[in-house]
């Protein structure tokens, strides 16, 4: 029987590539995001190409009531889920705290921390049943901080803490808990962070070879495909040209 995964934030970037990789590996998928048309197109494409089943979770992960009601009311054939990938997230703004936007801070805290908590809370009983696996998408920003990254880095440090907390709390249940923590991946991430300025966003990736979403999807598949007795606690994956958060070696052929 096919396994089932719920991936948050599949309409773009890392989540989209991960959905495709899991579909290639025979997973039925619950696809999540706020952009309905993208979800519908993605579902059609993956079903046609890989012969899997999909179910749409057109829910904003910041809405705790909607998340709870959606997951509790899943149809019978979707009630058994083996994998949760907590991927939906964003950076908003790149300013120091003195000049930072409270709206940006709220969006990051509500999505990256509270959204992950809301989805995980309702999914835990389901994953205990399946002895499933949670993969949390953290960041190098959850391991280090850089100037003007302040609140985003804080939210990803929280993801790092929640990843460890979940692993300890779920140890006796057989649910595996892992995190994948990337450096710079060219997705819609920088366009979102820079409030839609696509020129400035493209410049973030100038002069070096950034990661692409498929690099991270491959790592997530590596984590998920280990034998039952092996858990990858965490992975940090960086472009060769990015030795630490907030530093990139440009124009050196890297
Ligand atoms: P993208 O902007 O390309 O994708 C973000 C995804 O999250 C979209 O599908 C978006 O869908 C979804 N999303 C955002 N907010 C919500 C919400 N409130 N409810 C439901 N879905 C939501 O960025 P990435 O693929 O790069 O980012 C994915 C994850 O990877 C994030 O957690 C990010 O922090 C992390 N990351 C990214 C790195 C990078 O350099 N790109 C590096 C390290 C970590 P929609 O807008 O349709 O809701
Ligand atoms: C995104 C990677 O280095 O921009 O999480 O913070 S970074």
């Amino acid at each position: 029987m096919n396994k089932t995964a719920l991936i948050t934030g599949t309409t773009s970037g890392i989540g989209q590539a991960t959905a495709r990789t899991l579909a290639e590996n025979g997973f039925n998928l619950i696809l999540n995001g706020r952009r309905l048309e993208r979800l519908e197109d993605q579902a059609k494409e993956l079903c046609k190409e890989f012969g899997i089943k999909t179910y749409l979770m057109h829910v904003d992960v910041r809405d705790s009531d909607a998340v709870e009601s959606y997951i509790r009311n899943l149809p019978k054939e979707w009630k058994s889920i083996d994998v949760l990938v907590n991927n939906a997230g964003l950076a908003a703004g790149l300013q120091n705290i003195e000049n930072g936007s409270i709206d940006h801070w709220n969006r990051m805290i509500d999505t990256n921390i509270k959204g992950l908590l809301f989805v995980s809370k309702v999914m835990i009983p389901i994953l205990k049943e399946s002895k499933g696996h949670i993969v949390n998408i953290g960041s190098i920003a959850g391991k280090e901080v850089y100037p003007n990254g302040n609140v985003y880095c804080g939210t990803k440090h929280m993801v790092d803490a929640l990843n460890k907390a979940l692993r300890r709390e779920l140890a006796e249940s057989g649910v595996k808990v892992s995190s994948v923590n990337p450096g710079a991946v060219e997705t819609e991430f920088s366009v979102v962070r820079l409030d839609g300025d696509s020129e400035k966003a493209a410049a973030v990736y100038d002069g070096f070879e950034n990661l692409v979403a498929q690099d991270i999807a491959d790592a997530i598949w590596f984590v998920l495909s280990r034998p039952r007795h092996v858990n990858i606690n965490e992975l940090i994956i960086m472009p060769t040209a990015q030795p630490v958060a907030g530093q990139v070696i440009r124009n050196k052929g890297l």
Side-chain angles (χ1 to χ4, degrees):
M1 211 175 84
N2 291 31
K3 289 193 169 187
T4 299
L6 189 163
I7 307 167
T8 62
T10 62
T11 56
S12 164
I14 294 169
Q16 188 175 57
T18 303
R20 196 173 177 78
T21 295
L22 293 199
E24 272 173 11
N25 285 284
F27 274 73
N28 292 327
L29 296 174
I30 300 177
L31 303 168
N32 163 256
R34 294 163 300 174
R35 287 170 287 184
L36 182 58
E37 209 180 310
R38 286 203 189 189
L39 285 178
E40 288 171 342
D41 291 348
Q42 182 180 35
K44 266 188 226 142
E45 190 183 302
L46 295 178
C47 294
K48 191 167 165 215
E49 204 171 333
F50 302 109
I52 59 147
K53 292 187 182 128
T54 56
Y55 197 66
L56 302 192
M57 181 178 173
H58 180 227
V59 170
D60 186 324
V61 297
R62 294 172 294 181
D63 182 341
S64 58
D65 290 342
V67 166
E68 181 174 359
S69 136
Y70 174 89
I71 294 174
R72 289 213 193 290
N73 293 308
L74 280 167
K76 208 164 122 230
E77 63 273 29
W78 287 96
K79 272 198 188 304
S80 171
I81 301 172
D82 305 281
V83 166
L84 165 64
V85 183
N86 277 319
N87 164 75
L90 77 160
L94 196 56
Q95 282 104 16
N96 61 21
I97 292 178
E98 185 181 4
N99 296 303
S101 142
I102 292 172
D103 174 56
H104 282 160
W105 298 348
N106 282 332
R107 276 169 52 206
M108 291 188 278
I109 291 166
D110 288 348
T111 311
N112 301 358
I113 301 174
K114 290 162 79 179
L116 181 148
L117 281 169
F118 298 154
V119 176
S120 301
K121 178 172 168 53
V122 198
M123 283 295 295
I124 283 170
I126 296 176
L127 293 165
K128 281 182 171 172
E129 281 292 311
S130 61
K131 290 202 172 12
H133 198 156
I134 301 175
V135 182
N136 294 307
I137 307 306
S139 170
I140 189 60
K143 303 287 182 184
E144 301 164 3
V145 292
Y146 50 91
N148 304 332
N150 43 61
V151 175
Y152 177 66
C153 296
T155 65
K156 289 297 183 177
H157 275 70
M158 180 82 171
V159 172
D160 194 43
L162 292 175
N163 183 61
K164 290 174 183 146
L166 283 165
R167 187 178 315 113
R168 294 201 70 170
E169 289 178 6
L170 294 173
E172 287 189 15
S173 70
V175 176
K176 298 208 244 184
V177 181
S178 309
S179 72
V180 173
N181 302 281
V185 189
E186 188 167 9
T187 59
E188 292 178 10
F189 177 85
S190 289
V191 180
V192 172
R193 176 173 234 176
L194 300 169
D195 291 325
D197 187 333
S198 41
E199 232 170 85
K200 261 199 196 160
V204 171
Y205 307 102
D206 270 355
F208 75 106
E209 190 167 354
N210 52 261
L211 297 171
V212 295
Q214 190 59 46
D215 295 322
I216 308 308
D218 290 344
I220 293 168
W221 178 243
F222 174 77
V223 166
L224 287 173
S225 58
R226 292 313 83 208
R228 177 78 231 154
H229 69 286
V230 177
N231 187 56
I232 307 292
N233 284 3
E234 49 188 73
L235 287 178
I236 299 179
I237 305 163
M238 304 291 284
T240 304
Q242 188 186 10
V244 291
Q247 186 194 358
V248 169
I249 313 297
R250 296 182 200 266
N251 305 321
K252 299 268 186 204
L254 295 175

